[in-house]
Amino acid sequence: MRRPSSLTALIAGVILSILLISFWAKRQAWFPATAYLHEPSAAHSYKAPSTSLGATDSAVSPDPDLTRDIYNSTLGFEKIFVVSLPSRTDRRDSIILAAALSNIEFEFIDGVDGSLIPDTVIPSGPKQGRLPDAPLGCWRAHMNAIQETVRRNLGSVLILEDDVDWDVRIRDQLRDFALSSRALTQPLASTPKSYADKTFPRPSDNSPVAVPDIHLNDLPATIAPQKSPYGDNWDLFWLGHCGMHFPFTESKAIPKGRVVYTEETVPQTQHLWTLSDPNDIKEQYPNHTRVVHHAQDGICSGGYAVTQKSARNVLYELGLKDMNAAYDILLRWFCENGGEPSRGHHHCLTVQPPLFGIHLPAQPKSHNSDISDHGEGFQEKKTENVRYSVKMNIQALLKGGTDLVDQFPDVD
Ligand SMILES: *[C@@H]1O[C@H](CO)[C@@H](O)[C@H](O)[C@H]1NC(C)=O
Ligand SMILES: *[C@@H]1O[C@H](CO)[C@@H](O)[C@H](O)[C@H]1NC(C)=O
């Protein structure tokens, strides 16, 4: 093949620039006022790896590595499902409004009343007792979301519980997460058989117990993903949890890599809430740090994403094998090759603090959950760990999105 002359290259370059500039100008014109709902902020501007510029069709595709898809109405996943009991109309009203105000589209998966699940449909080992109705219903509702993902052959799905909440800047947060996920799981551009994290995909007997932190503003060059903006080599993203740990140093099942960054959306450490003890982020990093890493000891199943391949594995490992623990414990086993019977090795990434928090509306405490007893009295509304929470700012967002309230302002 003849090399293009420098004149042809120059003309092609000028045309490409004009295309890109007009595309950008159009996007600006479409979404002027509430830009944070749709557009990448300038905070961490991201350059596509130079390898992708060589592709013949890169001139017509302004998004060769799919990053822009994170800004779409399903946050860069193929679908979003929200697990929700049809009777909880209060929660359905709230999440429908919050999603509408965030330009997020989702479908409900009906929650299940555990008392209506017959013993015969619960996979059980010998001498295994029936779990209480609440965790049974929760498990079945999530399994129905997974089953639907497999049945419809969906490439990737974000599954949320109906009481979660998120920051108005969720797309910028997810872009940072996606770049981190790629750094931890995509092969290196220079040596496609190896990874920036030397302990990925699995630590070996002589692996180090810790590896150096990777920084978001100094990412390794990795191969651009073809299928998902989050990378093509992950099984589960645990994005909404109420507790998590960095991988234990002694664990041979879980890779040790971490991507670390400073984000203004992270509250100062005195505001961070978790059920895990100790609070790893608070103990090990300065204020406003977020860390993406492999999941260890996750608690709660408020928000997680799966791929088609991993949904099939979840259906097998957590649907067909013995149902002998609450769903978040089953997820933990799925991520850590744990449980009895064991649930296999899978690549589960998570983020601390989490991106989806549990929203508690102003109401009697007894209304909080159909799963457990939350005590007496009346609670003030709040969402843990989320600064510019959508549910806390519904009124301001309805008025056009100025004067949003930061739930956790910095103190000096
Ligand atoms: C958003 O992006 C993902 C990833 O490319 C894609 O699968 C999904 O279909 C897109 N959603 C919409 C509504 O276009
Ligand atoms: C974060 O800032 C607050 C307020 O200045 C301070 O009390 C807290 O100790 C800081 N946390 C860390 C980990 O430095």
Side-chain angles (χ1 to χ4, degrees), residues 66 69-70 72-79 105 156 227-229:
L66 306 170
D69 286 4
I70 295 166
N72 76 17
S73 63
T74 49
L75 304 177
F77 300 99
E78 189 168 340
K79 279 274 181 283
E105 287 179 77
S156 61
K227 289 191 277 189
S228 162

Side-chain angles (χ1 to χ4, degrees), residues 127-276:
K127 293 196 217 140
Q128 182 188 318
R130 182 187 163 102
L131 264 73
D133 291 339
L136 271 181
C138 173
W139 162 77
R140 193 57 241 169
H142 279 278
M143 288 325 301
N144 287 350
I146 295 288
Q147 186 203 66
E148 190 68 358
T149 303
V150 174
R151 189 182 70 79
R152 286 160 64 178
N153 198 21
L154 300 171
S156 61
V157 176
L158 174 64
I159 297 171
L160 301 173
E161 293 179 351
D162 60 359
D163 56 348
V164 297
D165 191 4
W166 52 87
D167 197 286
V168 295
R169 299 162 290 186
I170 185 70
R171 287 172 170 87
D172 286 339
Q173 295 173 327
L174 283 170
R175 180 200 42 203
D176 288 349
F177 176 82
L179 298 180
S180 306
S181 159
R182 294 183 200 183
L184 293 174
T185 60
Q186 285 290 110
L188 288 170
S190 54
T191 46
K193 286 209 166 68
S194 57
Y195 300 91
D197 171 8
K198 299 298 172 218
T199 62
F200 185 83
R202 283 243 286 284
S204 61
D205 283 339
N206 49 9
S207 280
V209 294
V211 293
D213 284 351
I214 298 171
H215 292 271
L216 187 69
N217 51 15
D218 188 20
L219 290 176
T222 48
I223 291 181
Q226 303 296 307
K227 289 191 277 189
S228 162
Y230 296 90
D232 294 335
N233 207 11
W234 55 277
D235 291 315
L236 193 138
F237 292 150
W238 206 325
L239 301 172
H241 54 75
C242 21
M244 193 60 77
H245 279 302
F246 294 134
F248 300 146
T249 48
E250 69 275 11
S251 168
K252 290 289 174 206
I254 306 178
K256 305 293 188 279
R258 300 178 190 177
V259 176
V260 174
Y261 46 99
T262 303
E263 222 183 36
E264 59 183 358
T265 68
V266 179
Q268 282 178 333
T269 54
Q270 73 274 15
H271 298 304
L272 293 179
W273 175 88
T274 172
L275 287 177
S276 296

